[in-house]
Amino acid sequence: MAPLYRLAQPCQARVAPPSLVSMLSRIFPDRFVPVLFATILLASLLPVRGAAVPIAQGASTAAIIFLFFLNGVRLPRDEVLHGIRNWKLQGSALAFCFGFMAMLGLAAQAATAPLLPATLALGFLFLGILPSTVQSATAASSLAGGNVAASVVAAALLNLSGVALSPLLFALLAGAEGEIHGEAVLRIVSILLVPFVAGQLVQRSLRPWVLAHRGLATFMDRTAIAIAVYVAFSAAVVAGIWGLLDGREIAIVFAAVTALLALSFGGAWALGKLLKLARADRITLLFSGAQKSIAVGAPLAATLFPPAIAGMVLVPILVYHMAQLILSAWIAPALRSGQGVVLE
């Protein structure tokens, strides 16, 4: 029998080293961030070339049509009409997303134009005119203790408006570079607007199924975005995007995106305080106003621009989108626990 003093010794549990998955989840709280990284890497290493280009562009177009049809099914038209009664919150979200953020994008384009290729600088204006995200803004608002119902309404209202407003704002602010010709108008109507309206028309019959299968719908949604990004960025790689950009220019993009994040998140929070919104509504305005949607950005870029240009224009929104997901996932728990003093 073992001596008593040995039996009395406390057991020392072995602490398992953190797994790679848990470490990555802390760095990239939203799983879509690594997907976008992987998509850009794949397009850089294995871009679509030659005879495969028309096939890939056809697949991208089909993915975009499906994405906007799914968005039309998912966005709650009845809830938007009901929720507009909170005009102070919804009106400020609309004005901030398409007004203040559009002006920030225009300023960022002007500031970076002497330092970056013209199409890359144009991407900052393109970023500014996009609507907010749907799932991630609502999820962040929920995690932060915001007004979830108002977040759903704000996301739906901004995206419903963005289908028409984003191209018009871009044409208005971009001057000659943003001129939308008849062919582009036809593509916007046929690839973006018609599927979206079709989704709205069948919403009553299909939306219950989509809501009951949220995981599958999100997977299909993000797959469609990844396809559109891959095809657009492939064309930019073939056109020599990595030869056109050096370390200095990439650093400028990251610096400009950092400044935009600080101004957008700080500005949305300050606007909520200025309007004396309730804290829950202020949180909703923060995420609905400051976030920007790659789900609209990638299809719209593919519709407005030739493939090689679309990939370059998408660079700022790709960086911004990944950064906003990380930032939101870090800010939201602090706001819920009352530790978000940095935003007070």
Side-chain angles (χ1 to χ4, degrees):
M1 183 175 179
L4 187 59
Y5 75 88
R6 289 187 180 177
L7 295 176
Q9 287 180 339
C11 296
Q12 294 183 351
R14 294 183 178 178
V15 180
S19 66
L20 179 61
V21 173
S22 65
M23 291 173 64
L24 287 175
S25 67
R26 291 177 185 176
I27 300 172
F28 305 121
D30 191 291
R31 294 179 183 178
F32 193 45
V33 176
V35 172
L36 284 176
F37 271 121
T39 302
I40 294 170
L41 180 62
L42 181 63
S44 299
L45 298 176
L46 295 172
V48 180
R49 297 178 184 272
V53 171
I55 299 172
Q57 289 177 348
S60 176
T61 300
I64 292 168
I65 291 171
F66 174 76
L67 174 63
F68 272 74
F69 174 77
L70 186 61
N71 283 342
V73 171
R74 186 163 43 200
L75 292 178
R77 183 175 63 255
D78 293 340
E79 291 180 29
V80 171
L81 296 176
H82 179 75
I84 287 176
R85 285 185 290 183
N86 190 348
W87 62 269
K88 195 173 184 180
L89 171 59
Q90 303 302 341
S92 58
L94 196 68
F96 189 89
C97 183
F98 294 115
F100 182 76
M101 288 297 293
M103 292 300 102
L104 275 185
L106 186 62
Q109 180 199 11
T112 58
L115 307 170
L116 298 174
T119 50
L120 182 55
L122 186 64
F124 286 103
L125 172 59
F126 183 75
L127 183 163
I129 54 86
L130 294 175
S132 177
T133 57
V134 178
Q135 296 99 318
S136 60
T138 303
S141 182
S142 176
L143 183 60
N147 186 336
V148 178
S151 294
V152 173
V153 172
L157 179 61
L158 291 171
N159 278 265
L160 283 168
S161 305
V163 173
L165 271 181
S166 290
L168 291 176
L169 274 174
F170 185 76
L172 177 66
L173 297 175
E177 295 172 299
E179 188 176 351
I180 299 178
H181 301 285
E183 184 180 350
V185 173
L186 182 62
R187 283 178 59 83
I188 290 171
V189 170
S190 60
I191 297 176
L192 307 185
L193 189 58
V194 169
F196 186 86
V197 172
Q200 288 277 291
L201 292 176
V202 299
Q203 184 180 91
R204 183 163 296 182
S205 57
L206 289 185
R207 189 165 184 263
W209 185 92
V210 171
L211 294 179
H213 300 83
R214 290 179 186 272
L216 178 60
T218 299
F219 173 78
M220 293 188 295
D221 184 65
R222 293 186 169 185
T223 300
I225 297 168
I227 292 171
V229 171
Y230 171 71
V231 173
F233 207 77
S234 287
V237 170
V238 172
I241 184 173
W242 295 125
L244 295 173
L245 299 180
D246 56 25
R248 181 188 67 88
E249 291 169 329
I250 293 173
I252 290 170
V253 170
F254 275 86
V257 166
T258 300
L260 284 175
L261 283 168
L263 291 170
S264 60
F265 276 77
W269 190 250
L271 178 60
K273 184 177 182 179
L274 181 67
L275 295 174
K276 298 181 179 179
L277 296 178
R279 182 175 174 83
D281 286 351
R282 197 175 169 192
I283 289 171
T284 293
L285 176 60
L286 172 67
F287 295 111
S288 298
Q291 289 197 3
K292 288 294 181 177
S293 175
I294 190 68
V296 175
L300 185 58
T303 305
L304 288 177
F305 307 106
I309 295 176
M312 185 75 86
V313 170
L314 277 176
V315 170
I317 180 57
L318 283 169
V319 177
Y320 187 95
H321 186 86
M322 290 186 283
Q324 77 184 5
L325 294 180
I326 297 171
L327 181 61
S328 297
W330 287 342
I331 289 176
L335 285 172
R336 189 177 191 89
S337 64
Q339 297 172 358
V341 292
V342 69
L343 291 174
E344 293 297 342

